[in-house]
Every structure is written in structure tokens, then in C-alpha cells.
Amino acid sequence: SPIPRQLSPIDTLLSTAFVLVSCLLGGVGPMIARAIAGPSPAEARALVPQARIVALVCAAALVLPVAWTEPLLRLAGQPESVARHAADYLAGASLSLLATPLTIVQRHVLGALRRPHVVTAAFAIAVPLNAGLDVVLARGLDGWVPRMGVFGVGVATSAISIAVTLAIGGWVR
């Protein structure tokens, strides 16, 4: 079945959540940059695990409402089909909600280390891969991959988000 056009409230809710988490984690970049510029870059490296813990706490705050997506949207007056599609997408995309805050922290660390090109390259590769994987997982692939619909688009989002987090994380060590 086609994806309903009324998914915009979900976009707004998710965007708001990501902006709030990004703002919270946005303080990590300047903190790490100051530490790196200071007398002991080793101290800056010590901040990274702490920043990752903060990111995981933020991620947990994002993941918890995912289980309540469908009832919350119905309570907000959204049509049943919209609530169902949103819940299907978020069921697949929920792991990306764990990966994205970690990516934000790692992006700040790489910026402080004067290696922002790593992040740019990772996303330049990730965006077209995500688009292709969206199509394959949503529509299926001639008996090789089952048709997953909106859930498949969420799974693609999670897979690419985790891959970016791991790739960027390899440069942060």
C-alpha cells in the first residue's frame, strides 16, 4: 500500500527530538576542542567515553517513545493508517536512534581533531547507499530480499546509521 501523505507530523516529532539531542550534544564539540588545544590532548581523549555515555543516555530518551508511536499518534487524532505506517517505520529505524547521537559526538571529536573530511566522506557515501537500500528493502528484490514496505525503509536507515557510526568511530580512536 502507498505511504500516506500525512506522515508530516511524525517528521516534525522526530526532527524536534533530533534537534533537542543535537543541541544537548552540541556542547561536546567546544569542550573537546578546548581540551585538545590545552596542555594535555590526552585529557581530551579521556572526554570521549564520557561524551559517548551522554550520547547513549540521549539515545535511550529517543528510543523509549518509539514503542508508543502508534497509540500516541492515534491519541493525537492521526488516522489509523498513518499511525501504523509510522510505527512500522520507527520499528525498523529504532537502532538508528541509538547510532545517531554517537555519530554526533564523534563528528565533534573529528572536528576538534581537524579531520572533518572523514565525516563529509562518510555521509557522501552513506546518502546514496541509504537511498538504494531503501528501495531494495521496501520493494524487495526478486526473491533475494523480501518486500518489507515502510519497515524496510526504517531498517535501511538503521543499517546505514550504524555503518556511519562505526566508520567514523574508527577514526576517533
Side-chain angles (χ1 to χ4, degrees), residues 110-125:
L110 287 169
L113 294 172
R114 295 186 175 99
R115 291 190 270 173
H117 60 281
V118 173
V119 178
T120 303
F123 280 104
I125 294 167

PDB file of all heavy atoms in Angstrom, residues 110-125:
ATOM      1  N   LEU A 110      36.028  14.622  15.724  1.00  0.00           N
ATOM      2  CA  LEU A 110      36.817  14.728  14.493  1.00  0.00           C
ATOM      3  C   LEU A 110      36.983  16.179  14.064  1.00  0.00           C
ATOM      4  O   LEU A 110      38.034  16.551  13.537  1.00  0.00           O
ATOM      5  CB  LEU A 110      36.176  13.895  13.383  1.00  0.00           C
ATOM      6  CG  LEU A 110      36.345  12.391  13.573  1.00  0.00           C
ATOM      7  CD1 LEU A 110      35.477  11.620  12.602  1.00  0.00           C
ATOM      8  CD2 LEU A 110      37.799  11.993  13.428  1.00  0.00           C
ATOM      9  N   GLY A 111      35.968  17.005  14.312  1.00  0.00           N
ATOM     10  CA  GLY A 111      36.117  18.429  14.027  1.00  0.00           C
ATOM     11  C   GLY A 111      37.200  19.049  14.891  1.00  0.00           C
ATOM     12  O   GLY A 111      38.019  19.842  14.410  1.00  0.00           O
ATOM     13  N   ALA A 112      37.204  18.687  16.168  1.00  0.00           N
ATOM     14  CA  ALA A 112      38.229  19.204  17.082  1.00  0.00           C
ATOM     15  C   ALA A 112      39.615  18.714  16.695  1.00  0.00           C
ATOM     16  O   ALA A 112      40.607  19.416  16.898  1.00  0.00           O
ATOM     17  CB  ALA A 112      37.911  18.792  18.515  1.00  0.00           C
ATOM     18  N   LEU A 113      39.701  17.529  16.125  1.00  0.00           N
ATOM     19  CA  LEU A 113      40.987  16.970  15.690  1.00  0.00           C
ATOM     20  C   LEU A 113      41.373  17.441  14.283  1.00  0.00           C
ATOM     21  O   LEU A 113      42.340  16.948  13.705  1.00  0.00           O
ATOM     22  CB  LEU A 113      40.932  15.436  15.720  1.00  0.00           C
ATOM     23  CG  LEU A 113      40.789  14.796  17.097  1.00  0.00           C
ATOM     24  CD1 LEU A 113      40.553  13.302  16.974  1.00  0.00           C
ATOM     25  CD2 LEU A 113      42.016  15.096  17.951  1.00  0.00           C
ATOM     26  N   ARG A 114      40.587  18.353  13.743  1.00  0.00           N
ATOM     27  CA  ARG A 114      40.807  18.906  12.401  1.00  0.00           C
ATOM     28  C   ARG A 114      40.731  17.829  11.315  1.00  0.00           C
ATOM     29  O   ARG A 114      41.532  17.827  10.372  1.00  0.00           O
ATOM     30  CB  ARG A 114      42.136  19.665  12.341  1.00  0.00           C
ATOM     31  CG  ARG A 114      42.157  20.884  13.225  1.00  0.00           C
ATOM     32  CD  ARG A 114      43.422  21.688  13.018  1.00  0.00           C
ATOM     33  NE  ARG A 114      43.383  22.905  13.783  1.00  0.00           N
ATOM     34  CZ  ARG A 114      43.990  23.061  14.953  1.00  0.00           C
ATOM     35  NH1 ARG A 114      44.678  22.078  15.477  1.00  0.00           N
ATOM     36  NH2 ARG A 114      43.903  24.202  15.590  1.00  0.00           N
ATOM     37  N   ARG A 115      39.749  16.929  11.470  1.00  0.00           N
ATOM     38  CA  ARG A 115      39.524  15.889  10.464  1.00  0.00           C
ATOM     39  C   ARG A 115      38.047  15.837  10.049  1.00  0.00           C
ATOM     40  O   ARG A 115      37.461  14.757   9.988  1.00  0.00           O
ATOM     41  CB  ARG A 115      39.962  14.531  10.999  1.00  0.00           C
ATOM     42  CG  ARG A 115      41.469  14.432  11.157  1.00  0.00           C
ATOM     43  CD  ARG A 115      41.895  13.033  11.449  1.00  0.00           C
ATOM     44  NE  ARG A 115      41.889  12.872  12.909  1.00  0.00           N
ATOM     45  CZ  ARG A 115      42.080  11.735  13.525  1.00  0.00           C
ATOM     46  NH1 ARG A 115      42.274  10.635  12.854  1.00  0.00           N
ATOM     47  NH2 ARG A 115      42.072  11.669  14.843  1.00  0.00           N
ATOM     48  N   PRO A 116      37.437  16.981   9.751  1.00  0.00           N
ATOM     49  CA  PRO A 116      36.015  16.960   9.385  1.00  0.00           C
ATOM     50  C   PRO A 116      35.756  16.259   8.051  1.00  0.00           C
ATOM     51  O   PRO A 116      34.635  15.823   7.789  1.00  0.00           O
ATOM     52  CB  PRO A 116      35.638  18.437   9.318  1.00  0.00           C
ATOM     53  CG  PRO A 116      36.914  19.126   8.973  1.00  0.00           C
ATOM     54  CD  PRO A 116      37.988  18.329   9.687  1.00  0.00           C
ATOM     55  N   HIS A 117      36.787  16.129   7.220  1.00  0.00           N
ATOM     56  CA  HIS A 117      36.629  15.468   5.926  1.00  0.00           C
ATOM     57  C   HIS A 117      36.188  14.009   6.082  1.00  0.00           C
ATOM     58  O   HIS A 117      35.525  13.465   5.201  1.00  0.00           O
ATOM     59  CB  HIS A 117      37.933  15.547   5.126  1.00  0.00           C
ATOM     60  CG  HIS A 117      39.083  14.887   5.810  1.00  0.00           C
ATOM     61  ND1 HIS A 117      39.781  15.500   6.851  1.00  0.00           N
ATOM     62  CD2 HIS A 117      39.655  13.672   5.639  1.00  0.00           C
ATOM     63  CE1 HIS A 117      40.731  14.681   7.267  1.00  0.00           C
ATOM     64  NE2 HIS A 117      40.670  13.563   6.562  1.00  0.00           N
ATOM     65  N   VAL A 118      36.520  13.388   7.200  1.00  0.00           N
ATOM     66  CA  VAL A 118      36.109  12.000   7.443  1.00  0.00           C
ATOM     67  C   VAL A 118      34.586  11.924   7.517  1.00  0.00           C
ATOM     68  O   VAL A 118      33.967  11.045   6.911  1.00  0.00           O
ATOM     69  CB  VAL A 118      36.741  11.455   8.747  1.00  0.00           C
ATOM     70  CG1 VAL A 118      36.191  10.087   9.093  1.00  0.00           C
ATOM     71  CG2 VAL A 118      38.255  11.423   8.625  1.00  0.00           C
ATOM     72  N   VAL A 119      33.985  12.856   8.224  1.00  0.00           N
ATOM     73  CA  VAL A 119      32.536  12.881   8.368  1.00  0.00           C
ATOM     74  C   VAL A 119      31.873  13.176   7.022  1.00  0.00           C
ATOM     75  O   VAL A 119      30.908  12.528   6.636  1.00  0.00           O
ATOM     76  CB  VAL A 119      32.107  13.922   9.427  1.00  0.00           C
ATOM     77  CG1 VAL A 119      30.602  14.005   9.547  1.00  0.00           C
ATOM     78  CG2 VAL A 119      32.745  13.601  10.770  1.00  0.00           C
ATOM     79  N   THR A 120      32.420  14.151   6.302  1.00  0.00           N
ATOM     80  CA  THR A 120      31.880  14.506   4.992  1.00  0.00           C
ATOM     81  C   THR A 120      31.923  13.307   4.052  1.00  0.00           C
ATOM     82  O   THR A 120      30.939  13.008   3.360  1.00  0.00           O
ATOM     83  CB  THR A 120      32.667  15.693   4.389  1.00  0.00           C
ATOM     84  OG1 THR A 120      32.602  16.786   5.303  1.00  0.00           O
ATOM     85  CG2 THR A 120      32.096  16.109   3.056  1.00  0.00           C
ATOM     86  N   ALA A 121      33.039  12.616   4.030  1.00  0.00           N
ATOM     87  CA  ALA A 121      33.171  11.440   3.162  1.00  0.00           C
ATOM     88  C   ALA A 121      32.203  10.340   3.573  1.00  0.00           C
ATOM     89  O   ALA A 121      31.560   9.717   2.710  1.00  0.00           O
ATOM     90  CB  ALA A 121      34.612  10.921   3.195  1.00  0.00           C
ATOM     91  N   ALA A 122      32.065  10.109   4.872  1.00  0.00           N
ATOM     92  CA  ALA A 122      31.161   9.057   5.345  1.00  0.00           C
ATOM     93  C   ALA A 122      29.719   9.339   4.911  1.00  0.00           C
ATOM     94  O   ALA A 122      29.023   8.442   4.424  1.00  0.00           O
ATOM     95  CB  ALA A 122      31.238   8.935   6.866  1.00  0.00           C
ATOM     96  N   PHE A 123      29.294  10.581   5.052  1.00  0.00           N
ATOM     97  CA  PHE A 123      27.922  10.911   4.666  1.00  0.00           C
ATOM     98  C   PHE A 123      27.750  10.974   3.154  1.00  0.00           C
ATOM     99  O   PHE A 123      26.676  10.647   2.637  1.00  0.00           O
ATOM    100  CB  PHE A 123      27.448  12.194   5.341  1.00  0.00           C
ATOM    101  CG  PHE A 123      27.021  11.957   6.761  1.00  0.00           C
ATOM    102  CD1 PHE A 123      27.830  12.343   7.809  1.00  0.00           C
ATOM    103  CD2 PHE A 123      25.824  11.328   7.048  1.00  0.00           C
ATOM    104  CE1 PHE A 123      27.459  12.112   9.123  1.00  0.00           C
ATOM    105  CE2 PHE A 123      25.437  11.086   8.357  1.00  0.00           C
ATOM    106  CZ  PHE A 123      26.252  11.481   9.397  1.00  0.00           C
ATOM    107  N   ALA A 124      28.787  11.377   2.430  1.00  0.00           N
ATOM    108  CA  ALA A 124      28.713  11.386   0.964  1.00  0.00           C
ATOM    109  C   ALA A 124      28.513   9.974   0.419  1.00  0.00           C
ATOM    110  O   ALA A 124      27.826   9.769  -0.582  1.00  0.00           O
ATOM    111  CB  ALA A 124      29.975  12.014   0.372  1.00  0.00           C
ATOM    112  N   ILE A 125      29.077   9.004   1.089  1.00  0.00           N
ATOM    113  CA  ILE A 125      28.890   7.601   0.703  1.00  0.00           C
ATOM    114  C   ILE A 125      27.560   7.076   1.235  1.00  0.00           C
ATOM    115  O   ILE A 125      26.842   6.339   0.553  1.00  0.00           O
ATOM    116  CB  ILE A 125      30.068   6.748   1.221  1.00  0.00           C
ATOM    117  CG1 ILE A 125      31.360   7.159   0.516  1.00  0.00           C
ATOM    118  CG2 ILE A 125      29.793   5.259   1.047  1.00  0.00           C
ATOM    119  CD1 ILE A 125      32.625   6.619   1.170  1.00  0.00           C
TER     120      ILE A 125
END
